[in-house]
Amino acid sequence: QRANVLRQAGLARKVKAEVERAVALDPDYVDARLGLMEYYLQAPGIMGGSQQKAREQAYEVRRRSPYRGAFVYAQLAARSKDVPGVMRELDGITRQFPESTTAYLQLAGYQMQQRQPAAAWATAERLLRARPAAPAAQYLVGRVAGETGEQLDRGAAAFQRFLQMPRAADDPPAANAHWRLGTIYERQGKKAEARAEYEAAVRLNPKLKEAQAALARVR
């Protein structure tokens, strides 16, 4: 992708040949199939790109790994701007694989994007029931509170608990939690507390533009 245009065609042919060879050597190698799917999605038709072939690989991934396959189908729906399709797939993951915090977080994000606060709260409550000790469950309660403007005290307390909990690499970043906690404080008129959270967010992630903008706003 970063090569000059004269080299891209030759490199693309090599990429396609290697991922096709990987799939041929091990048809159950899901990562190879995902790589081939991405090639089909990104390459122009003249270089072998094909939406149909990409969907064929998505089907094969789902057949071998229902969990990863469901995320792939959600990805394809997102590429097609099929938001109901994305939410349908993510909702299916939360019900078939209730331990998946990622699916709940993504589903609630889409629900809030579509201005469905009641649905987002229901998703957060389901995650709390399924994974009560998961940091992501606290994060999601805080995020829904901050974005909807509802249950702000509960949301602030949830973010505070999240920031005190041991977290894994796949949990939401602490910088994001500080920024979102700051938005709750700002909604509550607590300007000094909001500024402190925004400053903490920027310290942890200087590239977090939302926190930078918020900090400039409350100074």
Side-chain angles (χ1 to χ4, degrees):
Q1 291 177 333
R2 294 190 298 271
N4 68 62
V5 68
L6 297 177
R7 293 193 62 215
Q8 283 180 348
L11 290 170
R13 280 192 290 270
K14 292 179 180 179
V15 169
K16 184 171 181 287
E18 294 299 336
V19 290
E20 285 178 336
R21 180 63 174 154
V23 171
L25 288 169
D26 184 356
D28 292 330
Y29 187 12
V30 169
D31 287 339
R33 287 192 179 276
L34 289 173
L36 187 54
M37 184 191 79
E38 278 298 323
Y39 180 87
Y40 289 142
L41 286 172
Q42 294 188 34
I46 195 171
M47 296 302 301
S50 166
Q51 296 292 315
Q52 179 58 37
K53 287 183 177 180
R55 290 194 169 275
E56 289 171 4
Q57 291 304 317
Y59 171 79
E60 294 297 336
V61 169
R62 190 171 212 165
R63 200 160 65 85
R64 290 163 171 80
S65 173
Y67 177 72
R68 295 183 71 181
F71 277 107
V72 169
Y73 271 74
Q75 175 190 346
L76 292 177
R79 282 178 179 265
S80 303
K81 303 190 185 318
D82 175 14
V83 174
V86 177
M87 294 198 293
R88 192 164 50 248
E89 291 293 340
L90 293 173
D91 184 67
I93 299 171
T94 66
R95 298 182 189 283
Q96 189 176 0
F97 305 96
E99 296 293 298
S100 173
T101 59
T102 300
Y104 289 96
L105 291 168
Q106 292 185 10
L107 175 59
Y110 273 99
Q111 289 166 333
M112 288 184 286
Q113 185 185 90
Q114 296 301 303
R115 300 187 180 183
Q116 299 174 5
W121 274 116
T123 298
E125 298 291 359
R126 285 200 293 118
L127 177 54
L128 273 173
R129 290 194 297 272
R131 297 285 306 279
Q138 299 299 324
Y139 183 93
L140 185 54
V141 168
R143 179 180 174 184
V144 176
E147 291 196 22
T148 63
E150 301 170 359
Q151 304 186 48
L152 293 176
D153 287 339
R154 182 188 181 193
F159 275 132
Q160 290 163 0
R161 283 192 292 271
F162 171 83
L163 289 165
Q164 293 168 2
M165 298 169 78
R167 298 181 300 276
D170 58 349
D171 281 319
N176 292 47
H178 281 291
W179 160 57
R180 291 186 180 278
L181 177 55
T183 66
I184 290 179
Y185 286 145
E186 192 174 354
R187 278 181 177 270
Q188 293 177 318
K190 300 176 180 178
K191 187 173 180 180
E193 290 89 339
R195 185 187 305 112
E197 295 301 327
Y198 295 148
E199 288 173 346
V202 171
R203 278 197 303 273
L204 289 170
N205 182 3
K207 295 182 180 179
L208 186 57
K209 294 180 180 179
E210 295 87 349
Q212 292 174 345
L215 182 57
R217 185 173 62 244
V218 299
R219 275 180 173 161

